[in-house]
Every structure is written in C-alpha cells, then in structure tokens.
Amino acid sequence: MNRSKTVVATVTAALLLNLAIYGLGRAAGGGFRFTAAGRPAEVDALTVAGFTALPLLAGMTVVAVLARIWPWVVPTALVVAPAIALGTIPVMTIPADFDDPSKIALALCHVALAPVTVAGLLRLRRRK
C-alpha cells in the first residue's frame, strides 16, 4: 500500500470507529449537549467526523510527506500523535458539561485514535 492509501485507510478506519462509538453513546442515552460561550451546543455525527478526519488527515499527510526527507518524523509522530489524542481528553472532554454517556463516548473516541494512528504510522514507517 502506498503512502496516500495508508493515510486514507488510517483516516477511514478512525472515522468509522469513532462514528460507531458515537452511535453507541447515543444508544446509551447520550445527548451530546454542552454549554459553549454561555449557549447550548451539541456534538452531532458531523462534528465527530470532522474532529476525527480533519486533524488526522492533516497530521498523517504531513508525516507521509516529511518522512521521505527526514526519517525521524515517523518515530516522533509515534509519540506525539497518541499524546495529543489522549491529552485532549482532560482538556476538551472532561471539563465540558456533557452527561456521563456523552462524556464517556467522546473520551473513547479520543482513546480510539491512539491505536489507529499508531497502526497507520507504523505502516508509513515500513514504506521506503
């Protein structure tokens, strides 16, 4: 699989997994509503998709391009990417006033990104 296909496969896997987690959160009674700037807001499937696909696509693309020039990029990304995915839980998800099923589902979406991203990065590392 070439670099482009690896990036697309990684983003697609993460997207499908996070949408499944979101669906399970909804099925468990999660309303996915919170307060932002003093107003009610809601995380919907499109928001989950965007917050999953866009940053991951950007990051994986940068790594795929730069890994051709600098071989240290992939090992660095193997540390940075999961740290960002997991580090955003206490910064974004926990402080928000979500109900428990929503908070758990969204935290699991962040957790799910770590192994999917690592798998994609390891695949990029094998590409020469």
Side-chain angles (χ1 to χ4, degrees), residues 20-32 101 105:
I21 293 168
Y22 173 79
L24 290 171
R26 282 279 185 194
F32 293 86

Side-chain angles (χ1 to χ4, degrees), residues 5-120:
K5 288 181 183 177
T6 298
V7 170
V8 170
T10 303
V11 171
T12 301
L15 182 59
L16 293 173
L17 183 57
N18 277 354
L19 287 174
I21 293 168
Y22 173 79
L24 290 171
R26 282 279 185 194
F32 293 86
R33 287 183 279 291
F34 66 104
T35 306
R39 296 182 177 190
E42 186 173 343
V43 173
D44 58 12
L46 185 59
T47 305
V48 170
F51 274 55
T52 298
L54 297 177
L56 185 56
L57 178 61
M60 288 291 294
T61 300
V62 167
V63 170
V65 170
L66 293 180
R68 293 177 170 202
I69 302 165
W70 297 308
W72 53 266
V73 170
V74 173
T76 302
L78 283 166
V79 173
V80 172
I84 291 172
L86 298 175
T88 52
I89 296 169
V91 174
M92 295 173 64
T93 306
I94 292 173
D97 57 349
F98 289 110
D99 55 63
D100 288 340
S102 300
K103 194 170 283 199
I104 291 167
L106 291 172
L108 287 174
C109 285
H110 288 258
V111 171
L113 283 175
V116 172
T117 304
V118 166

